[in-house]
Amino acid sequence: MKTMHKLQHMLTLEELTPEGLTELLELAKAVKLSPNDYKTALTGKKVALLFEKASTRTRISFEVGVVELGGYPVVLSGADMQIGRGEPLSDTIKVMSRYVDALMIRTFAHETVETLATHGTIPIINGLTDLHHPCQVLADLLTIEEHLGSRQGKVLTYIGDGNNMAHSLLLGGALSGMEVRICSPTAYAPNEKIVSQAAEIAKATGGKVELFTDPVLAVKEAEIIYSDVFASMGQESESLERLSAFEGYQVNTELLHHAADEVIFLHCLPAHRGEEVTSEVIDGVHSVVFDQAENRLHAQKALMIELLGE
């Protein structure tokens, strides 16, 4: 893991130390509180934003964030570029490194961002891959601090597919000294290697990592409940099979009754209301999902300042 002042990329949250994560979140708070103080942080910087997956929050928050920091966003679609016709990624990033100062990419295979980081000479930001979603979890941790006062020792239960969200929550929660519980059917458990990585980090931070299959047990005394869609982008053909497999894993009012009294509900959005979460929960008093969505902007601005700011 790298220390904060040597941060080169954001491919996974393992790029950060616990101290570096704290510094980044403190910067995000400062950016949110006094945005005008940072409006020239990226003056003259050009940031390419490449989307191979559809996007709402990532697209808007990064584009607006670059502009608010005084930089220039270059928004690209994979279908519009030569990589869509077979140009090697290594060639593409070598060229882009001569045009822009950083690249944020939202894509499928995690190997894509690793290849870009290996062959380019500019910072690479993982806006989402099938394995990790680090920028989302930076916003999540910022939201947790705002609503609960701290991260250390908090109990976070994620209910759903052991996907990129589960993986980044494991790493981010472990770095924060949190107790992270991932609750999913056995066939949809998170990547074992990432679970082990998170467990190792947690040993040093006082955190804890646990896997559950019973949602009621998993949310006992939880202060944060987190949900995501059962079928992510690219898994549409599995939707019916997954809905059946995840029966009983819906976050609803009854399930919240088993958690801590002041529990907060998080969701990375978009939500499939009536599937993984009820409208009653996502619109209810425990939900902070729209604060969470807003915090994508502030956390990512802080990240870009660390990677690119003078």
Side-chain angles (χ1 to χ4, degrees):
M1 290 190 294
K2 305 173 181 68
T3 58
M4 194 63 189
H5 66 279
K6 293 183 179 178
L7 189 65
Q8 293 177 295
H9 305 289
M10 179 49 66
L11 308 186
T12 82
L13 288 173
E14 277 201 294
E15 305 282 338
L16 293 167
T17 62
E19 297 77 18
L21 174 58
T22 296
E23 289 175 25
L24 188 56
L25 293 178
E26 288 302 311
L27 178 58
K29 292 177 190 176
V31 169
K32 182 175 184 177
L33 182 65
S34 304
N36 286 339
D37 291 349
Y38 300 90
K39 63 183 181 182
T40 61
L42 295 190
T43 295
K45 302 291 187 181
K46 301 167 291 294
V47 181
L49 310 175
L50 175 55
F51 296 91
E52 294 191 305
K53 274 190 172 184
S55 173
T56 298
R57 280 148 292 276
T58 301
R59 163 71 189 268
I60 298 170
S61 59
F62 265 107
E63 187 169 356
V64 169
V66 173
V67 171
E68 289 187 349
L69 293 173
Y72 185 85
V74 182
V75 182
L76 305 163
S77 162
D80 297 334
M81 297 176 62
Q82 294 295 343
I83 53 173
R85 299 176 61 244
E87 181 178 37
L89 276 173
S90 55
D91 289 356
T92 298
I93 192 58
K94 286 174 183 176
V95 171
M96 290 184 73
S97 294
R98 299 187 179 213
Y99 294 151
V100 299
D101 299 289
L103 168 65
M104 188 289 301
I105 181 170
R106 184 176 168 92
T107 187
F108 293 89
H110 191 72
E111 291 77 15
T112 296
V113 295
E114 293 175 336
T115 298
L116 293 168
T118 298
H119 294 280
T121 58
I122 57 175
I124 305 299
I125 299 172
N126 174 5
L128 175 140
T129 65
D130 289 342
L131 203 59
H132 292 277
H133 199 354
C135 292
Q136 176 65 57
V137 172
L138 291 176
D140 300 340
L141 296 174
L142 177 60
T143 308
I144 288 166
E145 281 201 7
E146 287 178 343
H147 285 271
L148 299 181
S150 66
R151 293 170 284 131
Q152 183 74 37
K154 295 293 186 285
V155 179
L156 182 152
T157 299
Y158 170 89
I159 299 175
D161 186 22
N163 58 13
N164 49 10
M165 277 312 318
H167 296 153
S168 288
L169 285 167
L170 280 164
L171 294 172
L175 284 165
S176 300
M178 296 169 67
E179 179 176 334
V180 183
R181 305 170 180 173
I182 305 295
C183 182
S184 56
T186 303
Y188 296 92
N191 181 289
E192 290 182 5
K193 181 180 178 183
I194 296 172
V195 173
S196 296
Q197 290 169 335
E200 279 300 308
I201 295 169
K203 286 180 184 177
T205 62
K208 188 177 181 181
V209 168
E210 287 187 284
L211 301 184
F212 287 79
T213 55
D214 184 335
V216 173
L217 288 177
V219 302
K220 186 179 180 183
E221 299 178 351
E223 293 143 298
I224 306 123
I225 294 179
Y226 202 118
S227 182
D228 188 15
V229 294
F230 295 145
S232 299
M233 276 181 287
Q235 299 172 335
E236 288 81 4
S237 62
E238 304 173 25
S239 291
L240 290 178
E241 176 186 337
R242 283 172 170 269
L243 276 176
S244 175
F246 284 96
E247 188 175 350
Y249 285 79
Q250 183 186 76
V251 178
N252 49 40
T253 302
E254 181 182 349
L255 187 64
L256 289 187
H257 288 155
H258 296 279
D261 290 342
E262 301 303 316
V263 66
I264 60 172
F265 174 73
L266 298 176
H267 194 301
C268 54
L269 301 179
H272 291 171
R273 290 166 178 255
E275 292 183 10
E276 76 275 5
V277 61
T278 61
S279 289
E280 189 176 14
V281 168
I282 204 167
D283 295 327
V285 295
H286 296 284
S287 175
V288 296
V289 298
F290 299 109
D291 291 348
Q292 176 190 6
E294 178 193 335
N295 280 337
R296 288 289 301 275
L297 173 65
H298 311 302
Q300 290 161 187
K301 286 169 74 174
L303 177 60
M304 289 189 287
I305 290 168
E306 285 295 344
L307 288 169
L308 286 171
E310 298 300 331

